């Protein structure tokens, strides 16, 4: 089973130190030991952990659309 962590700021910048983000992802290692990723802009942080059951070579996360405007 995969896992995801993240945070967001509705007003202003997200004040989440890199060390805290890494710690959040680290706590998910048992949920998805096959892949880790992180995406961050000024207001949002996403950190997935992936368990590669199907298509292990093509499922890098977080995923973005072709224009890199939407991230999941």
């Amino acid at each position: 089973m995969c896992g995801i962590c993240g945070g967001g700021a509705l007003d202003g910048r997200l004040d989440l130190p890199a060390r805290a983000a890494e710690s959040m992802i680290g706590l998910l290692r048992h949920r998805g030991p096959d892949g880790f990723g992180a995406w961050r802009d000024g207001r949002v942080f996403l950190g997935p952990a992936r368990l590669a059951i199907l298509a292990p070579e093509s499922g890098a996360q977080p995923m973005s659309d072709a224009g890199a405007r939407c991230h999941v």
Side-chain angles (χ1 to χ4, degrees):
M1 179 170 293
C2 300
I4 187 167
C5 62
L10 298 176
D11 186 23
R13 294 191 56 80
L14 177 64
D15 185 24
L16 180 68
R19 182 175 289 174
E22 291 170 11
S23 179
M24 289 168 65
I25 296 170
L27 292 171
L28 297 175
R29 289 194 187 276
H30 70 286
R31 303 279 305 205
D34 298 319
F36 303 94
W39 180 82
R40 186 179 197 146
D41 71 4
R43 294 177 52 173
V44 176
F45 163 73
L46 297 174
R50 180 171 182 260
L51 178 62
I53 297 174
L54 299 174
E57 66 285 341
S58 64
Q61 296 176 3
M63 296 177 277
S64 303
D65 69 343
R69 294 191 58 180
C70 298
H71 308 277
V72 218

